[in-house]
Amino acid sequence: MEEKDELQESATPCLHLVSAFLAREPPDFVISFARDCGGGSITESVQSFIWNQCINKSDVKCNGHYLKSFLKKLIVEVESNGDVVLDEIYEMYIYCLTSLKDDELTKGNARTLRRVSFLLPKDCSQASSCQITRKFEVTLQCSLSMLEGNTGCSIWPAGLFLSEFILSFPELFSDKSCLEVGSGVGLVGVCLAHVNAAKVVLTDGDLSTLANMKLNLERNHLHTDMLDHTPDTKMGKLVFSFNL
């Protein structure tokens, strides 16, 4: 039996592993980080870390579909290498199999909670060489995939890139008035508020997207004021705005 060395969440591979899991990245992607943490294999100490820092902190009701898929791939990965799977991981997978039905998880506008993490240099004059990071997290309710619900409730790559740019260069947005057209899940707005933009106006033309955005803003402790809704004659929709 191998000795279980406790992994440190602050270690870079562990940060990547936890961040990828909380963001509900594809299971194969998360498992690749798990291998990095274990030096090439998912050891018992890595499994314990995944259990304590990832699985045990997940809301099964909100993330059951993702959790079931991840656990299946994790178990297959460990067993295929001839290693021992922790009992609690088996038990959680059995719970997901027996308690969660696929049709209940995917019907209607199914949603999942994703926690997007940004790892940024901390008090370092040369960001490219700085190894010390700080983590900024944004919790968002999103569609299970682009095919579930509407596209406004999905996280788009452009939103991730823009958010990272905002957090990397806060001086460009601090004390500025900012307007985003088509704000979707509200990720960019949360990042603008984090860097102390003077005023943030978020817009969208879809009512269900706007309702989901409002929940996300409140989930990240931001107060919202509903602004006027303006007819858009070209698009045939109404444009709604939030003021943060």
Side-chain angles (χ1 to χ4, degrees):
M1 182 70 66
E2 67 177 275
E3 182 179 351
K4 294 185 179 180
D5 297 323
E6 185 176 352
L7 298 176
Q8 298 298 320
E9 187 179 0
S10 58
T12 299
C14 296
L15 273 174
H16 290 164
L17 169 59
V18 174
S19 297
F21 179 87
L22 295 177
R24 309 300 175 231
E25 296 290 353
D28 288 336
F29 189 62
V30 181
I31 286 173
S32 69
F33 283 128
R35 292 194 203 99
D36 291 342
C37 290
S41 63
I42 303 179
T43 62
E44 289 188 44
S45 61
V46 174
Q47 292 179 60
S48 295
F49 179 83
I50 292 173
W51 174 259
N52 292 323
Q53 301 300 326
C54 300
I55 298 172
N56 205 31
K57 295 182 178 180
S58 292
D59 186 333
V60 178
K61 182 178 180 181
C62 295
N63 301 303
H65 179 78
Y66 177 84
L67 190 58
K68 183 169 73 170
S69 176
F70 171 75
L71 287 170
K72 179 179 179 180
K73 289 185 177 293
L74 176 62
I75 291 170
V76 170
E77 172 73 18
V78 175
E79 290 182 339
S80 65
N81 289 326
D83 295 324
V84 177
V85 178
L86 296 184
D87 289 342
E88 50 264 47
I89 291 178
Y90 273 133
E91 291 168 1
M92 178 60 76
Y93 182 56
I94 292 172
Y95 173 80
C96 290
L97 286 176
T98 57
S99 302
L100 305 172
K101 297 180 180 179
D102 288 338
D103 58 343
E104 292 179 351
L105 289 167
T106 58
K107 68 182 179 181
N109 291 328
R111 298 283 189 266
T112 187
L113 285 179
R114 298 181 65 180
R115 193 179 303 169
V116 181
S117 301
F118 296 92
L119 304 179
L120 304 166
K122 182 179 180 181
D123 300 328
C124 184
S125 58
Q126 295 182 340
S128 60
S129 61
C130 185
Q131 299 299 316
I132 303 175
T133 59
R134 58 186 173 87
K135 182 164 66 171
F136 174 61
E137 293 184 343
V138 182
T139 302
L140 301 168
Q141 178 174 272
C142 313
S143 298
L144 285 173
S145 68
M146 288 290 187
L147 300 178
E148 299 292 341
N150 55 53
T151 55
C153 291
S154 298
I155 297 179
W156 290 79
L160 291 170
F161 292 140
L162 180 55
S163 297
E164 185 174 8
F165 181 80
I166 291 168
L167 295 172
S168 299
F169 301 97
E171 67 278 3
L172 298 178
F173 304 92
S174 178
D175 297 323
K176 302 294 194 306
S177 294
C178 303
L179 166 68
E180 184 186 17
V181 179
S183 303
V185 293
L187 173 61
V188 170
V190 175
C191 292
L192 286 169
H194 181 72
V195 300
N196 298 316
K199 182 178 182 180
V200 180
V201 178
L202 306 177
T203 71
D204 208 282
D206 181 78
L207 283 175
S208 63
T209 298
L210 198 74
N212 186 67
M213 187 200 310
K214 186 174 188 294
L215 288 175
N216 284 334
L217 296 174
E218 293 172 348
R219 183 173 280 111
N220 289 279
H221 313 294
L222 295 175
H223 174 70
T224 62
D225 293 322
M226 188 68 170
L227 300 181
D228 295 336
H229 55 276
T230 307
D232 186 333
T233 55
K234 292 183 179 179
M235 297 297 292
K237 294 182 178 180
L238 295 178
V239 177
F240 292 85
S241 304
F242 280 131
N243 181 27
L244 300 185

